[in-house]
Amino acid sequence: MASASEPRKPDGQKPAALTIDGLSLEFPTYAGAIKALDDVTIEIGNSEIVGLVGESGCGKSVTTMAATRLLPEGRYRVTSGSIRLFGRDPFAMDETELQDVRGKLVSTIFQEPMNALNPTIRIGKQLVGVIQRHEAVSREEAERTARGILRDMLIAEPERIMRAYPFELSGGMRQRVLIAMAFSCNPGLIIADEPTTALDVTVQAVILRLILDRAKRTGTSVVFISHNIAVVSQLCDRLYVMYAGRIVEAGPTRAVLESPQHPYTQALLRCLPERVEPKAELEAIPGTVPNLLDPPQGCFYRPRCPEANEQCFAKPPSMAPAPDHLVACWRRETIQPSMISEAQQ
Amino acid sequence: MTIMRIIIPRLVMLFFVVFGVAVITFIISHLIPGDPARMIAGDRASAETLMSVRRDLGLDRPVWDQFIIYVSNLLHGDLGTSLRTRRSVAGDIATFLPATMELGAISLILAIVIGIPLGVASAIYKDGPIDQVARTISVCGISMPVFWFALVLVLLFYAKLHILPGSGRIDMGIALPTRITGFFLIDSLLEGRMDAFWSSVRHLILPSFVLAFANLGVITRQIRASMLDVLQEDYIRTARASGLRRRVIIFNHALRNALIPSITLLGLALGDLLYGAVLTETVFAWPGMGTYVVTSIQTLDFPAIMGFTVVASIGYVLINLVVDIAYMFADPQIREIG
Amino acid sequence: MSVTSPLAQSVPAASGWKSRLHFLWYLTRRSPLTLVGVAIIVMVIIMIVAAPLIAPYNPDKLMLSARLQAPSAQHWFGTDEVGRDLFSRIIYGSRASCVAAFMIVLISVGVGVAIGCLSGILGGRIDTAIMRLMDVIMALPALVLAMALAAALGPSLVNSMLAVALVRIPAYVRLARGQTLSLRERVYVKAARTFGASPLYILRWHLLPNAMSPIIVQATLDLGGIVLIAAALSFIGLGAQPPTSEWGALVSTGRNYILDQWWYCTFPGLAILITAMGCNLLGDGIRDMLDPRLGGR
């Protein structure tokens, strides 16, 4: 078995941060059910930085929001699979238990910071509100903690920021506040859902480094969700590639990037401007993402895949071991590992 | 500094409105068929009497002069003399206003105290049983003919069940509290007269409920719509993802923001109250502005009608001004930026 | 947020009448109240149009032997003080009450939209002047003005109708002007490019249809309120005069007999309530249907 693709085994009895096993999820609408996730398996160990990559609408956010049950209740249906957050089942918890878990065990950082803070409450009060929710501390202590984290986020005048209203801050600043809020109660897992996509390029690198450094220092696991495989690869130990609600490739970052096996991953990497020779044409992947109301038979990527054959039409591929990581592709299963390492020479 | 930026344009607007009202009421009062002089002097007055009355009223002057007199009177607070009571209209209005204000204040409080929680519950349990009930009450409230509702309640609670009084502000046998504010509730407490206080309370129950009912509908709807909007916002998602308790999210985060657009409602509600008061007071024989206006209309007492129109219009604009200032205090963004 | 994109991308655009019907069914399942509203309006329209067919008695026929009778099998809503059947009077009264309200809305929408479009197209000083005038009118409490006008012009249904219509006009002027301003840019360019098509033609076929939808919503929502205002004015004595059996007037007369003849003022008022509810429910339904959030147009 490809042990490199499995998360670092936890020491002692501590359960993995997040285990999603064969999760299938759909959104019923009046026109039918949208199959958002199909047999998704992800595992995040303790103190691991993992990337979840894929284009918009592929289900990356749905996956993590399902884990924290932040999807709108009653509007979705889990058709199979299970989730474990630090060994606990979020679907077995009632609202009160979930409220205890969110913010304390798992925190989420969202993509759009502009409206993510309450416009009528001062920053300090919002931070303190979260801290006092999970820790039994006095207001002064909570404020001290809040100031501390803001300083960790490289905010020069935490006191001034604490007294400010959200509309007085720039997008980058607001995101730092939100990251501070996420880290404030020392969660074991942070879900960072495209935290920098809505920000200036100049600010993006800083923000990502902030999250990474803090996580490494405190031993927090992080799931980095992004559609930008280049950005994510620099930060994460392992990668999952998603397409149309399925995991198509998974493994250590270096393995996936240096020898991508799935045609989709390969196409994604070829599209990156950084990898293209000057004056050469930029590539795009032909076709469009499948309609999840009525997905194609067999492998979802088949309509756009240059290598598709009849087997790809028959049934969806499951994750099979490639030399050092996992890939879901019929075409790869027939290739011997030795042939790959020969081709790489 | 920023308050002035809001007040000054509004005051300018007020000036224009008063002027506009003056023009409009002046025009209307000259549309009136019939001869005011005859109305005052009586049908059997002689020609000389009529002429002298006309001179007194200034009716023999050209229209433009009459208008100027009218406006300058207005600016001095002189709204003319009532044809019916023979007293100054301004004085009459001052006498009857507190009764309406007391009724209006209690109704508004009732409407807010019932309407806001109902709207919040309606939004949270959207499409659930509470929501259906709230929406039905809401629609009933805005569709309800106020005068009929008043009649039905009087029929039920007074005529059939005999548990509440059907008219007036206070029981017949009880002496009126000494007039300090004109608000019976306050005046009777200030005097320490509990009998007057409780009697006033009993008499306030039905009319204030009738008045409140329509506003209840509007408030519930608005709060529901605002809450539904706010609950979709990103910061609510952040609050949920941070594990904040549901009650905290709803009241400290959501409602705070949902109330802001509802402030305009306050202005509308107060405006509606005036209208509702006119209808309700006639049914309950409540000695307030409403009864005054209706009686004036029925007796064609035009100075009184015009005087009421001017006062009501000015009051309306002032209320809107207060609403704008309230907005300023509620929304920090407006406060800081101005 | 990528969570909503699978939903947004996969909902098929309404194509053809079948899917529109399906959508309508889905929508009415979610809000049965709208159906109730529609049912009420249909009932009222039938009452107005087919009054002679439905009413069991002649509403003006005096039957002095049957005065002030309680509701019974012969007189479902009882009789009034001169023996007229109340049920029939209420049915015929729908004509006075509802047609009045409808006319008011028609007048205020018609005049308001005309002035608003004109103001928007002309622009400049005329536009500003008109808007200032509308601001002044809107700043006045509508009811007070309506009452003053109706009192001045003399109490009658027509006069009170005119008064109410007058005070409702500014709201539509504003709406229409706003729509005109936002559409004017596009239409103007089209008009400049279009060879031969007069601006008037474009106004009629492009501008008006697009501008009408929020106006229609507003008008339907207003209808309920105006039914109430018309009835209220009649109640005070400013509106319909006897022997017209307008609902507000009936309640007003019924008030005199309220202690012993409860039915006299109860039923006409109920008619007002139900009609206003129907209008409001319908207006709400239309507004929800046109709400972009639900995937409507």
Side-chain angles (χ1 to χ4, degrees), chain B residues 107-183:
Chain B
S107 308
L108 195 59
I109 294 175
L110 255 184
I112 290 179
V113 161
I114 301 180
I116 292 186
L118 203 58
V120 169
S122 191
I124 300 174
Y125 300 107
K126 182 171 187 286
D127 294 332
I130 282 200
D131 188 18
Q132 305 289 1
V133 167
R135 290 172 77 182
T136 315
I137 294 181
S138 199
V139 167
C140 270
I142 59 181
S143 316
M144 182 68 74
V146 172
F147 53 92
W148 177 77
F149 192 45
L151 282 174
V152 167
L153 287 189
V154 167
L155 188 63
L156 195 58
F157 288 97
Y158 172 66
K160 298 290 178 196
L161 295 178
H162 303 292
I163 47 178
L164 284 173
S167 62
R169 286 179 83 185
I170 201 166
D171 287 328
M172 297 279 261
I174 301 187
L176 300 180
T178 327
R179 189 193 168 95
I180 311 173
T181 60
F183 282 51

Side-chain angles (χ1 to χ4, degrees), chain B residues 21 143 148 221 237 282 316, chain C residues 1 139-140 255 266 280 284:
Chain B
V21 170
S143 316
W148 177 77
R221 271 174 147 214
R237 185 181 58 176
T282 51
Y316 207 58
Chain C
M1 199 174 102
L140 308 175
R255 187 181 168 198
T266 307
N280 282 318
D284 276 351

Side-chain angles (χ1 to χ4, degrees), chain B residues 82-85 89 92 289-306 308, chain C residues 151:
Chain B
S82 162
L83 294 175
R84 179 172 57 95
T85 66
V89 172
D92 277 346
M289 291 285 285
T291 319
Y292 181 71
V293 164
V294 172
T295 328
S296 306
I297 289 177
Q298 284 164 347
T299 55
L300 297 181
D301 184 358
F302 293 103
I305 299 174
M306 295 307 134
F308 171 75

Side-chain angles (χ1 to χ4, degrees), chain C residues 101-102 104-119 131 134 138 164-180 211-224 226:
Chain C
F102 190 69
I104 293 173
V105 171
L106 219 60
I107 294 174
S108 38
V109 169
V111 174
V113 169
I115 296 181
C117 284
L118 212 67
S119 188
M131 287 321 288
M134 293 302 137
M138 276 190 93
V164 177
L166 209 69
V167 297
R168 303 295 311 161
I169 285 177
Y172 293 103
V173 170
R174 266 216 185 149
L175 253 177
R177 177 179 174 270
Q179 293 290 101
T180 311
M212 283 316 276
S213 104
I215 294 177
I216 290 181
V217 171
Q218 185 63 38
T220 320
L221 287 173
D222 267 351
L223 203 58
I226 288 183

Side-chain angles (χ1 to χ4, degrees), chain A residues 63-95:
Chain A
T63 312
T64 50
M65 285 183 81
T68 48
R69 287 191 65 185
L70 280 175
L71 291 173
E73 287 294 316
R75 301 272 271 265
Y76 67 99
R77 206 171 29 221
V78 173
T79 48
S80 72
S82 69
I83 302 182
R84 291 287 177 274
L85 262 179
F86 294 98
R88 302 164 64 173
D89 180 3
F91 287 96
M93 296 194 237
D94 63 17
E95 189 61 28

Side-chain angles (χ1 to χ4, degrees), chain A residues 239-256:
Chain A
L239 274 187
Y240 286 94
V241 181
M242 274 187 86
Y243 181 75
R246 288 184 178 158
I247 306 277
V248 296
E249 193 150 4
T253 311
R254 209 161 51 91
V256 173

